[in-house]
Amino acid sequence: MFGKHTCQNCCPNEMKYFPKIVALPGPVVPVPSPDRSVLAYGSLRGDTLGPLSPDPTPVTFQVVGALSNVTVSPSGNELVVQNDGVYQITISINAQATAAPDPDQPFFTVSITVNGQPIFLNGIAVFNVVNRSSSAYVVQATLAAGDLVGASAASDSFVASYANRSLTIVQLSG
């Protein structure tokens, strides 16, 4: 009863080894699944110091990241969507770290832009970045094919500037 168990005792028709693998001739073509692929995405990055002025000025980028169904504008500072849909847009930006921070903690404002205008005109998409800090802002918005997505920044402080930053968009639905 508690003796040595062998498969031949309880399962005489079962094999003691793994089943034989049979190779089929020719390549195996995968069966297409329903369309669950990523619809679109794109990113831009920058790491040089960016100048700020009292008027909103486009945030500059030097590096183009991965792109799919998204292109880059001629200025290199905006992503151009190719399809209508709902997109998630993220801007991440760092303030320049100064050796002697201003006691008033100067800050600058950043806004995600579509076609050069703040994405939400009532200002809810404007956020502040305080000296020696970083910040990220994420919004979802309906965009049309050809829309240019970027960011702008402004500051009244003559010592504030921005450094590392990235802009990404991901299409959530068509």
Side-chain angles (χ1 to χ4, degrees):
M1 187 171 199
F2 293 106
K4 184 176 176 185
H5 175 77
T6 63
C7 212
Q8 291 174 339
N9 294 340
C10 68
C11 312
N13 295 330
E14 293 294 321
M15 298 174 55
K16 291 183 178 181
Y17 305 102
F18 292 109
K20 186 177 178 181
I21 297 173
V22 178
L24 300 174
V28 176
V29 179
V31 177
S33 60
D35 186 19
R36 294 183 188 151
S37 62
V38 172
L39 300 172
Y41 58 85
S43 65
L44 297 171
R45 297 186 312 272
D47 61 2
T48 59
L49 288 180
L52 289 166
S53 70
D55 296 320
T57 306
V59 173
T60 58
F61 299 94
Q62 294 81 34
V63 179
V64 176
L67 301 173
S68 175
N69 292 322
V70 171
T71 59
V72 178
S73 69
S75 72
N77 297 323
E78 297 160 309
L79 295 166
V80 184
V81 299
Q82 301 300 303
N83 303 310
D84 297 351
V86 176
Y87 288 79
Q88 179 172 298
I89 307 164
T90 305
I91 179 71
S92 174
I93 193 162
N94 296 2
Q96 174 191 6
T98 59
D102 186 312
D104 294 330
Q105 287 295 298
F107 64 90
F108 58 93
T109 59
V110 179
S111 178
I112 294 171
T113 61
V114 175
N115 300 323
Q117 299 299 313
I119 192 165
F120 302 121
L121 296 178
N122 59 4
I124 62 172
V126 173
F127 64 99
N128 294 329
V129 182
V130 178
N131 188 29
R132 306 185 123 215
S133 71
S134 63
S135 190
Y137 194 78
V138 181
V139 297
Q140 290 180 5
T142 301
L143 299 175
D147 280 347
L148 287 84
V149 178
S152 64
S155 179
D156 290 332
S157 171
F158 56 89
V159 297
S161 61
Y162 59 84
N164 298 331
R165 64 257 183 211
S166 66
L167 174 69
T168 59
I169 60 173
V170 177
Q171 187 176 9
L172 302 175
S173 69

